[in-house]
Amino acid sequence: VLNNPVYASLKKNIDKQGHCICLGLDPDLEKIPSYYEKTIKGLEAFLLDVIAASKDHVIAYKPNISFFEAYGIDGLRLLEKCRKKIPSDIPFILDAKRGDIGNTAAKQATYLFDYFGADAVTVNPYMGYDSIAPFLNYEDKLIFVLALTSNPGAKDFESLRLESGKRLFEEVIEKTNTWAKNNVGFVVGATQAYLEHVRALTPYPFLIPGVGHQGGSYADAKKGRDTHGVAIINVSRAFLYSWESPKDLDLTIKHLIKSMLS
Amino acid sequence: VLNNPVYASLKKNIDKQGHCICLGLDPDLEKIPSYYEKTIKGLEAFLLDVIAASKDHVIAYKPNISFFEAYGIDGLRLLEKCRKKIPSDIPFILDAKRGDIGNTAAKQATYLFDYFGADAVTVNPYMGYDSIAPFLNYEDKLIFVLALTSNPGAKDFESLRLESGKRLFEEVIEKTNTWAKNNVGFVVGATQAYLEHVRALTPYPFLIPGVGHQGGSYADAKKGRDTHGVAIINVSRAFLYSWESPKDLDLTIKHLIKSMLS
């Protein structure tokens, strides 16, 4: 539905792979296989192995910048290295959940799109239109706006009912639909009972976290999306930390994907 | 009202200075005085001059991390250098507007508090309790939750009325009041007509941006706060970019503060 190069690339990869799984890169020294040294160098070897073994099998990558930031500037250098290893036809979705007053949001967009070369980002809509407009001005990128997230706290504010009868996340989707410049999508958690209802609110793509470790299923997450725009289903921990040795990692990842689909 | 070392330090500095002005550090190469080279080295010289000249006159510093991130890793190194130059009795409020599912928010807290040594941070409440809980676990720090911000987009979601009759920002304040661990405050913009009303909702400190360039006045921002807990009034652009030469910058900054108070 979007006339946008990142959207086109996602669609092409979904057709080619026959699934819509995006690999989340959430590097954590405490969790990497014992095969790797528990140092920033070991983390780098782990991530580069993962990228090399998965790049023929996933539709996109979603590094969460916070996991890199936790290692300070060394971690951000690692993010730069990962970025360079990801082929240009596989979208690099930088999960950063930014958003701020206009002049600041413009700086955030510079960092994520221009400095790190992100193809897509996630943004937090709490502060309203001008807090995401500088991202929307990048018309060849994709901006995923947080709508209804996969965590328990989604009930605290996101799903509160407004005076209008709508829930807050519905208002976020409806307003963003009108702000869209051929380059928006929404983050909607796979763990949400609302997921099917939410599909009807917008034709734009969904980035769906919460499958695997957080308890959502691939089949439920995918349901209905074929006729309502692209779904990008993100899996992080269930793929990153469920193997011991990088030997034949390519086959291991193929197998993990296959078992998630069935 | 808070039994917290950062709060105590803010109160002490307010008593000592006779005002509650915090200096926002939003470095921008396009705006620095022509005295400085338009390079990252020039930006560093500018910021270190500003810190040296202002440290006897302000109650706190609020660097906005996004302005540093816009220069990539060089910018983050600059933030580290600034951090080292700020005396330990002047709170370092790192404005980062983070928040994410629990395991990710914990990484964000590590980055801001442990890596950068922030005394206080700003967080975005959209994703609910578990997205800010890892910050609240740092009981000796201060966590400023976005409530009603100073930008035009605050009307899009923050000030919508809920089915309960409350506005979203009121719900954010009321819920956070119950989550508080002696270490919360709220971001409330000086430009908001609601500001006086909001004071009555919580005894916790306010971080108030929007004075100066964005149109809010110091006197309005401060009103009523003396009896309702500490106000930290942030000024960035109006102090950073309204002078030409660093000669006698100490006096210039004293004068800028004095004229804002009157």
Side-chain angles (χ1 to χ4, degrees):
Chain A
V1 294
L2 299 179
N3 179 14
N4 173 295
V6 185
Y7 184 80
S9 179
L10 288 167
K11 266 194 89 86
K12 197 171 151 197
N13 294 346
I14 290 170
D15 288 346
K16 182 174 136 198
Q17 300 294 349
H19 65 72
C20 47
I21 291 179
C22 162
L23 181 57
L25 300 175
D26 298 357
D28 189 336
L29 269 183
E30 301 306 311
K31 290 187 186 153
I32 59 175
S34 58
Y35 176 90
Y36 299 95
E37 235 180 57
K38 285 208 188 305
T39 61
I40 194 88
K41 274 283 155 208
L43 202 57
E44 178 178 331
F46 164 76
L47 281 170
L48 298 186
D49 280 353
V50 166
I51 292 169
S54 60
K55 66 182 169 24
D56 292 333
H57 309 301
V58 298
I59 65 154
Y61 288 96
K62 184 184 77 63
N64 187 319
I65 195 170
S66 305
F67 280 78
F68 294 86
E69 288 174 342
Y71 303 103
I73 285 174
D74 289 345
L76 292 164
R77 290 227 182 279
L78 182 52
L79 179 59
E80 289 185 300
K81 282 184 190 161
C82 290
R83 202 302 155 243
K84 287 190 190 121
K85 295 292 181 185
I86 292 174
S88 62
D89 58 349
I90 307 184
F92 181 78
I93 304 170
L94 194 45
D95 190 2
K97 301 187 174 67
R98 296 301 202 268
D100 205 317
I101 66 171
N103 72 324
T104 308
K107 299 290 179 185
Q108 298 175 336
T110 296
Y111 185 49
L112 303 177
F113 289 137
D114 302 330
Y115 185 78
F116 279 116
D119 297 307
V121 297
T122 56
V123 299
N124 185 315
Y126 184 74
M127 294 176 66
Y129 176 69
D130 57 295
S131 71
I132 61 174
F135 295 95
L136 298 177
N137 289 340
Y138 284 73
E139 298 192 18
D140 284 349
K141 306 288 187 175
L142 265 187
I143 292 89
F144 290 99
V145 178
L146 298 184
L148 184 62
T149 54
S150 55
N151 60 317
K155 71 175 186 324
D156 293 325
F157 307 116
E158 295 173 9
S159 55
L160 288 183
R161 203 178 281 284
L162 301 172
E163 191 182 35
S164 65
K166 284 181 281 191
R167 293 185 188 272
L168 177 60
F169 73 85
E170 294 174 313
E171 182 77 16
V172 166
I173 291 173
E174 289 187 15
K175 281 208 167 99
T176 306
N177 280 340
T178 72
W179 299 335
K181 295 186 177 183
N182 236 335
N183 61 351
V184 301
F186 296 97
V187 176
V188 184
T191 53
Q192 293 294 345
Y194 296 111
L195 189 56
E196 271 203 81
H197 161 67
V198 179
R199 296 182 206 287
L201 299 174
T202 179
Y204 299 125
F206 280 6
L207 175 61
I208 306 178
V211 165
H213 195 91
Q214 292 181 64
S217 87
Y218 177 85
D220 283 349
K222 195 170 173 302
K223 220 185 309 178
R225 256 295 99 171
D226 296 329
T227 48
H228 285 93
V230 156
I232 299 126
I233 297 182
N234 186 71
V235 185
S236 304
R237 285 172 273 183
F239 286 172
L240 292 179
Y241 304 118
S242 57
W243 48 272
E244 286 304 320
S245 152
K247 190 172 176 300
D248 297 326
L249 185 54
D250 180 89
L251 292 174
T252 306
I253 287 176
K254 256 178 96 165
H255 175 76
L256 286 167
I257 291 175
K258 209 176 149 191
S259 48
M260 182 142 291
L261 302 182
S262 65
Chain B
V1 294
L2 299 179
N3 179 14
N4 174 293
V6 184
Y7 184 80
S9 179
L10 288 167
K11 266 195 89 86
K12 197 171 153 198
N13 295 346
I14 290 170
D15 287 346
K16 181 174 137 197
Q17 299 294 348
H19 65 72
C20 47
I21 290 179
C22 162
L23 180 56
L25 300 175
D26 298 355
D28 190 337
L29 269 184
E30 301 306 310
K31 289 186 185 154
I32 59 174
S34 57
Y35 176 91
Y36 299 94
E37 236 180 53
K38 285 208 189 303
T39 61
I40 195 86
K41 273 284 155 207
L43 201 57
E44 177 178 332
F46 164 76
L47 281 170
L48 298 185
D49 280 354
V50 165
I51 292 169
S54 59
K55 68 182 167 25
D56 293 331
H57 308 302
V58 299
I59 65 153
Y61 288 96
K62 184 185 76 63
N64 187 320
I65 196 170
S66 304
F67 280 78
F68 294 86
E69 288 174 341
Y71 302 104
I73 285 174
D74 289 346
L76 292 164
R77 288 229 182 279
L78 182 51
L79 179 59
E80 288 186 299
K81 283 184 189 162
C82 290
R83 203 301 156 240
K84 287 189 189 121
K85 295 291 182 185
I86 292 174
S88 62
D89 58 349
I90 307 184
F92 181 77
I93 304 169
L94 194 46
D95 190 1
K97 301 186 175 69
R98 296 301 203 268
D100 206 316
I101 67 170
N103 71 325
T104 308
K107 299 290 179 184
Q108 297 174 337
T110 296
Y111 185 50
L112 304 177
F113 289 137
D114 302 329
Y115 185 79
F116 279 117
D119 297 307
V121 298
T122 56
V123 300
N124 184 316
Y126 184 73
M127 294 176 66
Y129 176 69
D130 57 295
S131 71
I132 60 174
F135 295 94
L136 298 177
N137 289 340
Y138 284 72
E139 299 193 16
D140 284 349
K141 306 287 186 175
L142 265 187
I143 292 89
F144 290 99
V145 178
L146 299 183
L148 184 62
T149 55
S150 55
N151 60 315
K155 71 175 186 324
D156 293 325
F157 307 115
E158 296 174 9
S159 56
L160 287 183
R161 202 179 283 282
L162 301 171
E163 193 182 35
S164 65
K166 283 181 282 190
R167 293 184 188 272
L168 177 59
F169 72 85
E170 295 173 315
E171 182 78 14
V172 166
I173 292 173
E174 289 187 15
K175 283 210 167 98
T176 306
N177 279 340
T178 72
W179 300 334
K181 297 186 178 184
N182 237 333
N183 61 352
V184 301
F186 296 96
V187 176
V188 184
T191 53
Q192 293 294 345
Y194 297 110
L195 190 55
E196 272 204 80
H197 160 66
V198 180
R199 296 182 206 288
L201 299 175
T202 179
Y204 298 125
F206 280 6
L207 175 60
I208 306 178
V211 164
H213 195 90
Q214 292 181 64
S217 88
Y218 176 85
D220 283 349
K222 194 170 174 301
K223 221 185 310 178
R225 259 292 100 171
D226 297 328
T227 49
H228 285 93
V230 155
I232 299 126
I233 298 182
N234 185 71
V235 185
S236 303
R237 285 172 272 184
F239 287 172
L240 292 179
Y241 304 119
S242 57
W243 48 272
E244 285 304 319
S245 153
K247 190 175 177 298
D248 299 325
L249 185 54
D250 179 90
L251 292 174
T252 305
I253 287 175
K254 255 177 97 165
H255 175 77
L256 286 167
I257 292 175
K258 209 175 148 189
S259 48
M260 181 143 292
L261 302 183
S262 65

